[in-house]
Amino acid sequence: MKLEKRFLNLIIILVEPQGPINIGSVARLCANFMVDELRIVSPRCDIHSLEAQKMALKGMQYINNCNVYETLFDAVGDCDLVLAGSGKLESNNASNEPIQESLESATRWICNFQTINKLAFVFGREDRGLTNQEMLLSHKTFKIGTNKNYPSLNLSHAVSIVLYELSRLSNNKNTKNLVECDLSSTAEIEICFSEMERMLRKIGYLLSHTSAARISKFKKYIIRAKTSKNELNMIRGIIHQINWALNNLNKN
Amino acid sequence: MKLEKRFLNLIIILVEPQGPINIGSVARLCANFMVDELRIVSPRCDIHSLEAQKMALKGMQYINNCNVYETLFDAVGDCDLVLAGSGKLESNNASNEPIQESLESATRWICNFQTINKLAFVFGREDRGLTNQEMLLSHKTFKIGTNKNYPSLNLSHAVSIVLYELSRLSNNKNTKNLVECDLSSTAEIEICFSEMERMLRKIGYLLSHTSAARISKFKKYIIRAKTSKNELNMIRGIIHQINWALNNLNKN
């Protein structure tokens, strides 16, 4: 079942997958559900191996055509809306964790938008999931409801459930009250926050050893606020102006 | 996520699975979604192999405790409600094919019942699915909506999607207008039809070479009619009475 046309490009992104069987299985699922593109961040195995091919079957085209990226930041660079699966969370610092939603609620949210040019779903490492930093490269993180005593789904099964849930959306013919998707991309937010971090360190608000944690908190808040492109530009404008003032006003 | 309590026992049945990776993957899913029992009909590989174990992880208990059956008829013998996945249909005789529903509609149907003691989901062979005869051992067959050009899901992905869809039901708190599940079991229907077939051949209504096809049509109709235990008993009573009459009245 093809996704609704208003989701123009559906992209599946795997971060550092370790198992060729998983990669092949995900490629087959991409064919089963007419995904537009498979992207892989720093694979930890041979993605073209015989094991991957055996599982991919007619989905092998997705592996042959897949773009490989060094970091997740590079992989989501052109994506308008990014959602990340978060079966396993780094739990050291609870306040840094993005708020999780159920898969169902996350996909319902997507449904509110008129058009999404590039919609990406990110899946983490088989053993460790995504880091908190990587999760902050997504607009929302979601969790698939499983047994609390053994919640950890195999990577390809998580992908299959997400694609099925998305295909169910296509049956939802309610197109009333749709809103324009004008969110800042997570790549834009990331760039804005690098600039902000540099500036805040320059003025002595952030110290190098606590900088990452504090900026993460702020970034999480901005993502949760569903920041539009205009709003993010405003923040960037302020940062640039502060930088200009620091460089020029001090001279007088 | 545990299924609602009114589904007392959820059973996954694999028919002649060929791949140990698939069996292991399904066992892990059983643990992820708190399935009650895994049953396997005539496995075509070593279900305890290292490959299966590697995929099963904490789900290995399901393989260790699984009951192995010779035929699907044996495996569904004690099941109250049986649903079968039908990604691949034998398409020689369209009229013999049970009516397919979407997975969503099939699970919605299950939701109408107050209590189901043993609810079974049957999944066919990786390459050939279920035979038409096997599908007639289910109350309903369902299909998962995928790409028409490449609809064939890997076995374990089909299982993952079904278990996810069932877990979504648990969120449905609407318990109004539930009806008692009083359907004849598919095993009871099968036994009734063996008796009917024997009788109809005895009276010359069925000929041996067309018997299977005609009785399948009739059976399909009876399954579709959602026959209750009482109604099936009525049919069996008529058959027994005809048999009695044939044996006794002719003597006079």
Side-chain angles (χ1 to χ4, degrees):
Chain A
M1 188 175 295
K2 177 62 180 160
L3 280 178
E4 286 188 85
K5 278 188 186 156
R6 60 190 165 113
F7 308 129
L8 296 178
N9 287 285
L10 175 63
I11 301 164
I12 296 293
I13 303 178
L14 304 182
V15 177
E16 297 189 8
Q18 294 148 0
I21 288 176
N22 280 338
I23 295 173
S25 296
V26 170
R28 177 169 172 181
L29 284 164
C30 287
N32 289 146
F33 288 97
M34 294 182 80
V35 166
D36 292 286
E37 199 186 333
L38 175 64
R39 297 181 177 182
I40 305 186
V41 176
S42 293
R44 294 296 186 230
C45 61
D46 177 9
I47 64 173
H48 298 280
S49 70
L50 192 64
E51 267 181 304
Q53 287 177 40
K54 268 187 189 167
M55 298 307 285
L57 300 179
K58 291 188 191 170
M60 198 56 205
Q61 48 169 324
Y62 285 89
I63 293 180
N64 293 333
N65 298 332
C66 101
N67 283 315
V68 173
Y69 299 83
E70 217 166 292
T71 67
L72 180 57
F73 174 72
D74 299 330
V76 300
D78 59 342
C79 298
D80 301 294
L81 206 63
V82 181
L83 284 90
S86 59
K88 288 165 185 164
L89 286 172
E90 284 186 358
S91 53
N92 293 343
N93 187 343
S95 68
N96 254 9
E97 285 172 11
I99 296 161
Q100 283 186 321
E101 291 190 16
S102 71
L103 169 62
E104 216 180 332
S105 134
T107 50
R108 257 203 310 267
W109 178 66
I110 297 174
C111 271
N112 291 323
F113 297 117
Q114 267 162 358
T115 312
I116 300 168
N117 191 20
K118 294 198 176 182
L119 170 62
F121 277 80
V122 181
F123 297 87
R125 300 157 188 83
E126 286 95 331
D127 52 354
R128 293 182 294 120
L130 295 168
T131 65
N132 284 338
Q133 296 302 320
E134 285 165 343
M135 276 199 267
L136 288 170
L137 285 167
S138 68
H139 290 95
K140 253 186 211 299
T141 58
F142 62 85
K143 203 167 156 40
I144 299 170
T146 44
N147 177 359
K148 278 179 197 148
N149 296 324
Y150 188 38
S152 160
L153 282 168
N154 165 283
L155 171 60
S156 73
H157 296 136
V159 175
S160 72
I161 288 169
V162 166
L163 292 176
Y164 170 72
E165 182 71 35
L166 280 171
S167 78
R168 294 177 77 253
L169 292 185
S170 307
N171 297 328
N172 180 3
K173 298 298 175 211
N174 180 14
T175 50
K176 279 181 195 167
N177 306 322
L178 296 182
V179 296
E180 195 188 341
C181 180
D182 184 38
L183 294 179
S184 304
S185 77
T186 53
E188 287 164 348
I189 294 175
E190 182 70 20
I191 291 166
C192 170
F193 273 81
S194 314
E195 291 172 353
M196 193 187 301
E197 189 174 354
R198 266 199 305 278
M199 184 270 287
L200 293 177
R201 285 171 74 157
K202 193 158 72 182
I203 64 166
Y205 176 81
L206 289 179
L207 302 174
S208 60
H209 65 287
T210 53
S211 171
R214 298 194 81 156
I215 211 78
S216 281
K217 256 184 218 175
F218 196 3
K219 206 192 292 179
K220 181 183 158 191
Y221 156 70
I222 287 295
I223 292 172
R224 205 181 58 213
K226 301 191 174 46
T227 309
S228 73
K229 290 184 195 299
N230 276 342
E231 287 158 350
L232 198 74
N233 281 339
M234 189 184 64
I235 298 177
R236 292 186 76 174
I238 294 172
I239 298 168
H240 292 176
Q241 191 61 28
I242 295 172
N243 279 329
W244 178 87
L246 290 172
N247 289 334
N248 294 282
L249 297 188
N250 280 355
K251 289 176 188 169
N252 299 333
Chain B
M1 185 175 295
K2 178 61 180 160
L3 280 177
E4 287 187 84
K5 277 187 186 156
R6 59 191 165 113
F7 308 129
L8 297 178
N9 288 286
L10 175 62
I11 300 164
I12 296 293
I13 303 178
L14 305 182
V15 177
E16 297 189 8
Q18 293 148 2
I21 289 176
N22 280 338
I23 295 173
S25 295
V26 170
R28 176 170 171 181
L29 284 164
C30 287
N32 290 145
F33 288 97
M34 293 182 80
V35 166
D36 293 285
E37 198 185 334
L38 175 65
R39 296 181 177 182
I40 304 185
V41 176
S42 293
R44 293 299 186 228
C45 60
D46 177 9
I47 64 173
H48 297 280
S49 71
L50 191 64
E51 267 181 304
Q53 287 178 40
K54 269 188 191 168
M55 299 307 286
L57 301 178
K58 292 190 191 167
M60 198 57 206
Q61 48 168 323
Y62 285 90
I63 294 179
N64 293 334
N65 299 332
C66 103
N67 283 315
V68 173
Y69 298 85
E70 216 166 295
T71 67
L72 180 57
F73 174 73
D74 299 329
V76 298
D78 60 343
C79 299
D80 301 293
L81 205 62
V82 180
L83 284 90
S86 59
K88 287 163 185 166
L89 287 171
E90 284 186 359
S91 53
N92 292 344
N93 188 343
S95 69
N96 254 9
E97 286 171 9
I99 296 163
Q100 284 186 321
E101 291 190 18
S102 71
L103 170 60
E104 215 180 332
S105 135
T107 49
R108 257 202 311 267
W109 178 66
I110 297 173
C111 269
N112 292 324
F113 297 116
Q114 268 162 356
T115 311
I116 301 168
N117 192 19
K118 294 199 175 181
L119 170 62
F121 277 80
V122 180
F123 297 86
R125 301 156 188 85
E126 286 95 331
D127 53 353
R128 294 182 294 119
L130 296 167
T131 64
N132 284 339
Q133 295 304 318
E134 285 165 343
M135 275 198 268
L136 288 170
L137 285 168
S138 69
H139 290 94
K140 253 185 211 300
T141 59
F142 62 86
K143 204 168 153 41
I144 299 169
T146 45
N147 176 0
K148 278 179 196 146
N149 297 323
Y150 188 38
S152 160
L153 282 168
N154 164 283
L155 172 59
S156 73
H157 295 138
V159 175
S160 72
I161 289 168
V162 166
L163 291 176
Y164 169 73
E165 182 70 36
L166 281 170
S167 77
R168 293 178 78 253
L169 292 185
S170 306
N171 297 328
N172 180 3
K173 299 294 175 214
N174 180 14
T175 50
K176 280 181 192 167
N177 305 321
L178 297 181
V179 296
E180 194 188 342
C181 180
D182 184 39
L183 294 178
S184 304
S185 77
T186 52
E188 287 164 349
I189 294 174
E190 183 70 22
I191 291 165
C192 169
F193 273 82
S194 312
E195 292 171 354
M196 192 187 301
E197 188 174 355
R198 266 198 306 279
M199 183 272 285
L200 292 177
R201 286 169 73 156
K202 192 158 72 182
I203 64 166
Y205 175 81
L206 289 179
L207 303 174
S208 60
H209 65 287
T210 54
S211 172
R214 298 194 80 156
I215 211 78
S216 282
K217 256 184 221 176
F218 197 3
K219 206 193 293 178
K220 182 184 157 191
Y221 155 72
I222 287 295
I223 292 172
R224 206 181 58 215
K226 302 190 172 47
T227 309
S228 72
K229 291 183 193 302
N230 276 343
E231 287 158 350
L232 197 75
N233 281 338
M234 187 184 65
I235 297 177
R236 292 185 76 173
I238 294 171
I239 297 168
H240 293 175
Q241 191 62 28
I242 294 171
N243 279 329
W244 178 87
L246 290 171
N247 290 333
N248 294 282
L249 295 189
N250 281 353
K251 289 176 185 165
N252 299 335

